[in-house]
Amino acid sequence: MPTPPVASVPALALTGLVKRFGQKTAVDGIDLVVPTGSFYGLVGPNGAGKTTTLSMATGLLRPDAGTASVHGVDVWADPVAAKRMIGNLADGVRLFDRLTGEQLITYTGMLFSLPREEVAVRTADLLRLMDLGEAAGTPVADYSAGMTKKVALACALVHAPRLLVLDEPFESVDPVSAANIEDVLRSYTGSGGTVIVSSHSMDLVQRMCDHVAIVSAGRVLVAGTVDEVRAGATLQDRFLELVGGRTRSEGPAWLRQS
């Protein structure tokens, strides 16, 4: 059988993913296909299972059932090969924050066996892109929340992965840096890279993504192109329609000022 074209192989394919924590089922049989070259949004309420799903998809958390593959490589059968293709900005993962920003990006690049000279060039480019040049020699422990997010994103990019998985990448990031990062990500997907972004910002997902999945209670409620999922409404309204739980209230009487 001939090898299928690269574009026909999904950047990420999840089949029947399940994860339980004690009696709680956090992810309940998620199936998802992320096309190569797409900018894919993953949205859902708090506790929906988004972070757990992405952790299993990228080799950080072993599933209780199901499979995850990156460009046809099984993440759990061949984790080294799969992780070489992934750039991961995960929620809550601690950095080696006693290193300076420059050292941290350099260290990450060398973990992927990049030549030292190439790592130096890429680190300089990323520090400039993230507007971290003046903080390059400062320990990451002294960075603000936004600066920490940016240096973690730089680490995810340094080995030029084929798939970027970003959990709330713009949280705490200033508007100028966010705009610069958006430009880079658009160029990245335009050249064949794939981005998966988990975010609570419907405006950001609707503006930047071409595909989206809405997740709730560990299951995919709907997935497809943004226009398919929106079904003629705004993404925010469609999300509220599917997920439910919104209450309309003026709040308690004691909170009102008149």
Side-chain angles (χ1 to χ4, degrees):
M1 182 181 294
T3 302
V6 171
S8 70
V9 178
L12 179 68
L14 308 179
T15 304
L17 277 189
V18 174
K19 187 63 184 179
R20 302 180 184 89
F21 298 101
Q23 298 300 310
K24 176 178 174 56
T25 300
V27 175
D28 192 11
I30 278 186
D31 298 314
L32 195 66
V33 175
V34 176
T36 296
S38 63
F39 205 126
Y40 208 109
L42 191 65
V43 299
N46 291 331
K50 303 185 300 299
T51 296
T52 302
T53 297
L54 294 181
S55 295
M56 291 188 287
T58 55
L60 295 177
L61 183 66
R62 185 176 292 276
D64 294 325
T67 61
S69 62
V70 175
H71 289 286
V73 177
D74 189 302
V75 172
W76 289 99
D78 194 354
V80 174
K83 289 180 181 182
R84 285 189 178 279
M85 294 186 283
I86 301 170
N88 193 13
L89 177 62
D91 182 51
V93 173
R94 290 184 60 83
L95 303 174
F96 295 110
D97 59 7
R98 295 300 174 186
L99 298 178
T100 68
E102 183 176 22
Q103 289 171 339
L104 182 60
I105 300 169
T106 300
Y107 173 72
T108 304
M110 296 186 73
L111 285 178
F112 285 95
S113 301
L114 295 174
R116 183 178 292 273
E117 297 77 9
E118 180 64 21
V119 172
V121 171
R122 295 186 184 190
T123 298
D125 288 342
L126 288 165
L127 287 168
R128 182 170 58 254
L129 170 67
M130 301 296 171
D131 193 27
L132 291 173
E134 293 185 3
T138 301
V140 173
D142 295 334
Y143 281 14
S144 67
M147 293 166 68
T148 301
K149 180 74 74 171
K150 289 192 290 184
V151 79
L153 179 55
C155 291
L157 290 166
V158 69
H159 62 294
R162 296 177 65 183
L163 171 65
L164 266 177
V165 180
L166 310 176
D167 200 343
E168 294 290 355
F170 299 107
E171 188 177 46
S172 303
V173 175
D174 67 89
V176 174
S177 295
N180 291 338
I181 293 167
E182 283 189 30
D183 289 344
V184 171
L185 296 180
R186 290 184 193 281
S187 175
Y188 172 79
T189 54
S191 66
T194 306
V195 174
I196 302 172
V197 57
S198 172
S199 178
H200 289 108
S201 172
M202 298 298 158
D203 289 340
L204 181 145
V205 171
Q206 186 166 294
R207 185 179 75 251
M208 294 194 65
C209 297
D210 46 63
H211 288 70
V212 64
I214 297 177
V215 178
S216 182
R219 297 181 179 180
V220 175
L221 300 182
V222 64
T225 67
V226 171
D227 286 342
E228 288 170 346
V229 171
R230 287 195 305 128
T234 67
L235 188 59
Q236 175 86 5
D237 288 343
R238 182 69 169 139
F239 176 87
L240 292 172
E241 174 190 339
L242 289 168
V243 173
R246 183 179 183 184
T247 58
R248 296 181 180 273
S249 171
E250 295 179 351
W254 56 262
L255 188 58
R256 296 194 292 274
Q257 300 298 303
S258 60

